[in-house]
C-alpha cells in the first residue's frame, strides 16, 4: 500500500481564438493558452458563460423566493414570531458547514430577534449525539420556552422528531440540503434545494448557503429592521461552502467569490477593526491571508471540523466566528488550533494502524475494505477512510468497537449532499452485543450510499450520500456485513477492476511554472467539486535539494507529521522551481528522472510560487519506468566499493599504486561518514533501486563508501565553537543555514538540535526563516538551573556520535555487506 496508481490525462482540444483573446484581457501579458484550455475543457463555450464565470458582478444571483411556497411559509412563520416576540432556537450541526450555517442564522436572525433571550442555538455533540434533531434536545428547548426551531444543514428526514416537537407546541422550519424524505414532513416550512430541478442555479447550495437565503428573504421582507448589511454574512457563507466541498456552480460559485473577497478585506484590517477577529486569528495561526479558496479548504475548514472530532462539543465555534471580542476570540482560536493539532496526531496514529492491518488483506480479492479496532477514535475515522480509499481505489469503511453503550450515527463528513437516518434505530434494550460505529468513504464513482443501504438489515443506524457515510452496527454483524457488501460490489462491477487513479488536466514543463501560469490558474478560482484545482503533469523531470522535517504548531512544538521540500528541474530551463510534498519523506522521491502530477500554488507565508506534489513515478521515458522497490537477490558485494581513507575518492590506489579501470557507470559517492545503519541503508536502497531498472550487471549502480577517518575535536571545544558562532550571529544579525552550521561544527542534524536546545537555556533564541536560522541572544533570559544539564546532554550526544563515526570508519566491508544482505529492502 498504496497500490500503483493509474494516471490519466484529460482530453484537451485547442481552444478557439476568441477564448484565448478573452483570457488575455483578464491577464495582460499572458498567452492565455492554459486557462483557455481548462475553461474550454470545463464547458465554457461562449462569451456570456465566460463573463459570468469569471466576473461575479456579471452574474445574476437567484432570488431567495425561487424556493417558492416553502420560502413564503418560512418568512410568514418568522414574521409571526417577530410580532409575537416568540423565542426561537437555531438547531445546527457540528461540521464546518453546520457551524457556519448556525453562525449565519445567529448573526442574521439576530438582527430581528434579541440574541440569548429571544434567540438561542443548539449544536449536537458529535461524540454523543447523531446528526439532526433528537427528542432530548427538543425537551430542553421546550423547557426554555422555545416556540420555533429553525434547523440548518440538517433535519429533512427527522420526521418522528418533528412530530414530537409539534406535540410540545414547537413549530419547525427546516433549512437543509441533504436527503429528501419520501413525503413532506409536518413542518412550518422546509427549504431544501433538492426540491428544485437539478439544473437550477440554487440546486447545489450547501447548508450555510440555504441558511443565508432564508436570512436574505427576511431582509427583503422586513427591510427597515436590520442594522447591519446582509453582505456582512458572506464571508461565513464562503467558508462553509468551500469547506463542505459542494459543486461550485451557479449561486454557489457566486457566493464563494464575493465571500472570499469580504474574508480577505476583513483580514487586511487592523486587528482592532476586524468584524470577525476569531476568523482573523485562525487565519494567522494557519499562516493564511484569506484570499484563496485553499485558505479555507486547508486552513479554516479543517480547524473548525477538528473541534467536534476531538472534543465532541463544537458550540463555542459559533462564538469564535461571530464574537467581536478580540481577546475572547484569541482564546477560542487557540483552543481550536490545539484541537486541530490533536486531530492530526490521532489521524496519523490511526492511519499507521490501518496501514498495518491492510498488509493482512489480499486487495486483489477485496472490493470494499472493512476494518475494525477497539482503540480507534471515531472522530477521525472518516478522514483516514478517505485517505485509504484514495490510495487503494476502493471504498473503505473503518469501524471503532470502543465502548459498550449505544452509539449515535457518527459524522459522515458529507461533502455537501444527502445525509440522514433512513430507518429507525433498534432499541438498545434489544441489542445483545455492543455497537461498532464508524465512517465510510468511496471513490471511482461507486455509490457508497446505496451500497451500504442495501445492507440495512445488518445495521443499527446509517446516513450518508454516494461519497461518504456514517454507520453503526452490532459488533457480531461485522463479518457478515463485510462479506455481503463485498459480494454486492463484486457482482455490480463485473469484470471492472478497481484501481486508484489520478487525472492530470494539462501537460507542461518546469519553465512554464511561475507567476504567469499561476494567474491563469487563478482565473478558475474558486475551485471545488465540478471545477477542481488544475493538476499539472510534468514529465522527465528530477528533484534536487530535498529535505524533510516534522511540522511545528504555532507554539513551536513538534507535530507528528512530515513535509518534504525540494527543487524540481527538467531540460526546459536552467532554473529550478520549489515545491512541497505533504506527508512524505525525502527518501520517497524517485532517484533520477521521473514524471509528476502537481498543483501550482502561492505560499503567502514564504511569499513564493511553488508546486504541491500530488503523485510521482519514475519517468516513462527513462530506464526507471519498469520496476519499483529493490530486489534482495542482487549480489551486494560488487555494488559496494570500499574507498575509505584513499587520497582521492574518485580513483583509489590499487596495491601497485595505479588507478583502477574506469567503471562502466560512475558510482554514487558517500563521503559523509554515517552515524547509524539507517543512513547507510538509505544509500544502499538508492543504488539497488537504480540497479533494478538497469539491464545487466555491468550497468548496476555502485555505491562507493568514501569517507575519511574522522579527526574529532574534544566535545567541550565543539560546544564552545557552537556558542561562539551563536554569539557572532547574534551580534552581526546574520542568518545561517542548517547545512552551514553542520559543516562548521562537524556534527549531525540530531546532535545540532540538542545543541540548539542547550543554547536556549543560555538565553539564545533560534527562529526559522525559510531555510535559514536567525539566532539572537538575550542573556537576561537564561535559565542557568537547566543549562548545565542541557549542555551535559549535548556533550553526551557528541561523544556518542563520535563513537559511531569511529566505528563506521573502521568496520570491515564484509560486516557492511553481511548486515545489508540480512535486511529485506
Amino acid at each position: 500500500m498504496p497500490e500503483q496508481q493509474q494516471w490519466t490525462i484529460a482530453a484537451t482540444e485547442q481552444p478557439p481564438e476568441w477564448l484565448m483573446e478573452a483570457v488575455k484581457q483578464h491577464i495582460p501579458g499572458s498567452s492565455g493558452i492554459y486557462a483557455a484550455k481548462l475553461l474550454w475543457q470545463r464547458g465554457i463555450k461562449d462569451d456570456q458563460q465566460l463573463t459570468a464565470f469569471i466576473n461575479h458582478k456579471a452574474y445574476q444571483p437567484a432570488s431567495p423566493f425561487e424556493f417558492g411556497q416553502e420560502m413564503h411559509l418560512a418568512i410568514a412563520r418568522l414574521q409571526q414570531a417577530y410580532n409575537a416576540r416568540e423565542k426561537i432556537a437555531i438547531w445546527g450541526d457540528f461540521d464546518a458547514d453546520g457551524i457556519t450555517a448556525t453562525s449565519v442564522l445567529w448573526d442574521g436572525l439576530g438582527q430581528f430577534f434579541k440574541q440569548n433571550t429571544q434567540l438561542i442555538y443548539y449544536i449536537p455533540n458529535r461524540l454523543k449525539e447523531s446528526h439532526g434533531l433528537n427528542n432530548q434536545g427538543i425537551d430542553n428547548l421546550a423547557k426554555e420556552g422555545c416556540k420555533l426551531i429553525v434547523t440548518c444543514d440538517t433535519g429533512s428526514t427527522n420526521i418522528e422528531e418533528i412530530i414530537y416537537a409539534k406535540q410540545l407546541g414547537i413549530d419547525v422550519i427546516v433549512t437543509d440540503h441533504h436527503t429528501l424524505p419520501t413525503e413532506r414532513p409536518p413542518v412550518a416550512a422546509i427549504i431544501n434545494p433538492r426540491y428544485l430541478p437539478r439544473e437550477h442555479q440554487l440546486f447545489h447550495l450547501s447548508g450555510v448557503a440555504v441558511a443565508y437565503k432564508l436570512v436574505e428573504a427576511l431582509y427583503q421582507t422586513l427591510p427597515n429592521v436590520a442594522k447591519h448589511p446582509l453582505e456582512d454574512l458572506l464571508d461565513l457563507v464562503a467558508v462553509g461552502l468551500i469547506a463542505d466541498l459542494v459543486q461550485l456552480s451557479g449561486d454557489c460559485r457566486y457566493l464563494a467569490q464575493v465571500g472570499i473577497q469580504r474574508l480577505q478585506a476583513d483580514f487586511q484590517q487592523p486587528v482592532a477593526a476586524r468584524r470577525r477577529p476569531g476568523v482573523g486569528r485562525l487565519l494567522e495561526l494557519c499562516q493564511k491571508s484569506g484570499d484563496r479558496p485553499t485558505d479555507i479548504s486547508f486552513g479554516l475548514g479543517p480547524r473548525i471540523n477538528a473541534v467536534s472530532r476531538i472534543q465532541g462539543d463544537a458550540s463555542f465555534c459559533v462564538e469564535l466566528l461571530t464574537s467581536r471580542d478580540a481577546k475572547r476570540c484569541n482564546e477560542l482560536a487557540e483552543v481550536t488550533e490545539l484541537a486541530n493539532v490533536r486531530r492530526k496526531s490521532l489521524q496519523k496514529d490511526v492511519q499507521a494502524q490501518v496501514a498495518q492491518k491492510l498488509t493482512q488483506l489480499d486487495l486483489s480479492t477485496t472490493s470494499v475494505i472493512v476494518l475494525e479496532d477497539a482503540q480507534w477514535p471515531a472522530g477521525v475515522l472518516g478522514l483516514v477512510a478517505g485517505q485509504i480509499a484514495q490510495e487503494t481505489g476502493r471504498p473503505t469503511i473503518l469501524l471503532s468497537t470502543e465502548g459498550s453503550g449505544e452509539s449515535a450515527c457518527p459524522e459522515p463528513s458529507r461533502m455537501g449532499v444527502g445525509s440522514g437516518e433512513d430507518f429507525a434505530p433498534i432499541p438498545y434494550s434489544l441489542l445483545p452485543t455492543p455497537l461498532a460505529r464508524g465512517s465510510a468513504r468511496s471513490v471511482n464513482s461507486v455509490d457508497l450510499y446505496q451500497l451500504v443501504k442495501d445492507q440495512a438489515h445488518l445495521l443499527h443506524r446509517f446516513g450518508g450520500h454516494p461519497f461518504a457515510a456514517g454507520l453503526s452496527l452490532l459488533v457480531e454483524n461485522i463479518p457478515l456485513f463485510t462479506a455481503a457488501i463485498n459480494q454486492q460490489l463484486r457482482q455490480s462491477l463485473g469484470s471492472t477492476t478497481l484501481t486508484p487513479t489520478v487525472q492530470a488536466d494539462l501537460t507542461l514543463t518546469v519553465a512554464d511554472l511561475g507567476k504567469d501560469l499561476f494567474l491563469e490558474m487563478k482565473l478558475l478560482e474558486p475551485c471545488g467539486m465540478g471545477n477542481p484545482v488544475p493538476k499539472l503533469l510534468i514529465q522527465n523531470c528530477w528533484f534536487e535539494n530535498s529535505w524533510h522535517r516534522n511540522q511545528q504548531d504555532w507554539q513551536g512544538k513538534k507535530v507528528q507529521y512530515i513535509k518534504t521540500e525540494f527543487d524540481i528541474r527538467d531540460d526546459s530551463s536552467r532554473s529550478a522551481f520549489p515545491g512541497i510534498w505533504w506527508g512524505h519523506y525525502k527518501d520517497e522521491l524517485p532517484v533520477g528522472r521521473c514524471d509528476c502530477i502537481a498543483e501550482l500554488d502561492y505560499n503567502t507565508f514564504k511569499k513564493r510560487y511553488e508546486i504541491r506534489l500530488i503523485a510521482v513515478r519514475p519517468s516513462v521515458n527513462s530506464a526507471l519506468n519498469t520496476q519499483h522497490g529493490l530486489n534482495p537477490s542482487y549480489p551486494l558485494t560488487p555494488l559496494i566499493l570500499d574507498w575509505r581513507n584513499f587520497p582521492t575518492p574518485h580513483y583509489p590506489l590499487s596495491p601497485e599504486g595505479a588507478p583502477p579501470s574506469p567503471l562502466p557507470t560512475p558510482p554514487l559517492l558517500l563521503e559523509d561518514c554515517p552515524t547509524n545503519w539507517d543512513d547507510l541503508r538509505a544509500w544502499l536502497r538508492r543504488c539497488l533501486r537504480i540497479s533494478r531498472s538497469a539491464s545487466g550487471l555491468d550497468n548496476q549502480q555502485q555505491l562507493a563508501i568514501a569517507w575519511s577517518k574522522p579527526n574529532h575535536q574534544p566535545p567541550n571545544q565543539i560546544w564552545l565553537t557552537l556558542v561562539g558562532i551563536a554569539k557572532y550571529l547574534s551580534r552581526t544579525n546574520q542568518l545561517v543555514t542548517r547545512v552551514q552550521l553542520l559543516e562548521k561544527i562537524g556534527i549531525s542534524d540530531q546532535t545540532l538540535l540538542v545543541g540548539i536546545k542547550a543554547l536556549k537555556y543560555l538565553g539564545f533564541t533560534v527562529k526559522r526563516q525559510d531555510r535559514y536560522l536567525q539566532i539572537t541572544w538575550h542573556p537576561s533570559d537564561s535559565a542557568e538551573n537547566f543549562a548545565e544539564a542541557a549542555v551535559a546532554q549535548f556533550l553526551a550526544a557528541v561523544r556518542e556520535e563520535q563513537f559511531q563515526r569511529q566505528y563506521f570508519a573502521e568496520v570491515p566491508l564484509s560486516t557492511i555487506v553481511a548486515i545489508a544482505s540480512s535486511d529485506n529492502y
Side-chain angles (χ1 to χ4, degrees), residues 494-735:
S495 60
T496 304
T497 302
L498 291 174
T499 306
T501 59
V502 58
Q503 177 172 294
D505 300 292
L506 297 170
T507 301
L508 39 72
T509 67
V510 171
D512 296 318
L513 302 174
K515 181 180 179 180
D516 289 344
L517 180 64
F518 175 80
L519 291 177
E520 287 197 46
M521 300 298 99
K522 202 170 188 299
L523 204 61
L524 278 79
E525 292 184 354
C527 293
M529 290 187 67
N531 179 40
V533 176
K535 290 183 172 53
L536 314 173
L537 172 63
I538 306 170
Q539 296 175 301
N540 210 25
C541 58
W542 64 92
F543 299 102
E544 295 179 349
N545 303 324
S546 60
W547 61 292
H548 62 242
R549 62 186 174 93
N550 286 90
Q551 287 298 101
Q552 294 183 334
D553 64 22
W554 88 103
Q555 294 176 321
K557 297 178 181 178
K558 186 167 71 172
V559 180
Q560 294 301 315
Y561 66 100
I562 288 293
K563 178 180 72 172
T564 289
E565 299 197 28
F566 56 82
D567 291 328
I568 186 172
R569 287 182 178 272
D570 67 6
D571 295 323
S572 68
S573 172
R574 294 183 178 181
S575 301
F577 195 81
I580 58 173
W581 197 16
W582 288 100
H584 292 270
Y585 292 90
K586 66 177 183 179
D587 295 333
E588 297 178 63
L589 290 170
V591 178
R593 291 181 180 261
C594 58
D595 302 332
C596 73
I597 295 177
E599 297 172 357
L600 181 61
D601 199 10
Y602 180 72
N603 188 321
T604 54
F605 179 64
K606 293 186 176 182
K607 293 180 172 36
R608 73 176 191 186
Y609 299 95
E610 63 188 19
I611 61 168
R612 184 187 301 115
L613 196 59
I614 303 298
V616 63
R617 68 183 183 188
S619 175
V620 296
N621 297 321
S622 77
L624 294 176
N625 69 317
T626 56
Q627 302 289 343
H628 293 274
L630 303 172
N631 189 343
S633 65
Y634 276 111
L636 289 176
T637 303
L639 288 180
I640 304 176
L641 304 175
D642 190 355
W643 290 5
R644 289 174 293 179
N645 305 314
F646 282 100
T648 58
H650 293 276
Y651 285 99
L653 297 178
S654 67
E656 294 77 23
S661 300
L663 295 169
T665 302
L668 286 178
L669 282 179
L670 176 53
E671 297 182 81
D672 292 327
C673 184
T675 58
N676 56 68
W677 284 106
D678 285 342
D679 288 347
L680 190 54
R681 288 186 184 104
W683 280 85
L684 289 171
R685 288 190 183 96
R686 291 179 61 185
C687 290
L688 289 172
R689 188 181 296 121
I690 298 172
S691 298
R692 180 79 183 269
S693 65
S695 56
L697 285 175
D698 288 342
N699 291 323
Q700 287 188 27
Q701 178 63 64
Q702 296 175 300
L703 173 66
I705 54 174
W707 55 81
S708 301
K709 189 172 183 178
N711 182 20
H712 292 139
Q713 288 185 314
N716 282 329
Q717 184 60 47
I718 292 175
W719 168 246
L720 293 176
T721 301
L722 177 59
V723 173
I725 291 173
K727 289 181 177 179
Y728 172 79
L729 293 173
S730 175
R731 184 173 66 254
T732 61
N733 202 29
Q734 291 186 37
L735 301 178

Side-chain angles (χ1 to χ4, degrees), residues 96 100 234-244 256 259-260 263 279 283 286 288 290-305 526:
T100 52
L234 287 170
D235 49 358
L236 295 180
V237 176
V239 172
L241 271 170
I242 293 172
D244 208 46
I260 288 173
L263 184 69
V279 175
L283 286 169
C286 59
K288 307 290 184 182
D291 66 326
R292 305 285 311 289
T294 49
D295 293 355
I296 296 170
S297 53
F298 294 129
L300 297 177
R303 281 160 175 78
I304 296 169
N305 280 322

Side-chain angles (χ1 to χ4, degrees), residues 776-799:
T776 54
W777 187 32
H778 304 285
S780 59
D781 294 339
S782 63
E784 295 182 1
N785 294 339
F786 301 97
E788 185 175 347
V791 172
Q793 188 176 4
F794 173 75
L795 297 176
V798 172
R799 292 189 190 97

Side-chain angles (χ1 to χ4, degrees), residues 78 82 85 107-115 118-119 215 218-226:
L78 285 171
Y82 178 75
R85 304 182 65 83
D107 269 2
L109 296 183
Q111 296 295 300
F112 303 87
F113 304 92
K114 189 173 181 181
Q115 293 174 337
Q118 280 184 281
L119 185 68
V215 175
L218 191 59
Y219 264 69
Q220 292 179 10
T221 305
L222 301 174
N224 300 317
V225 177

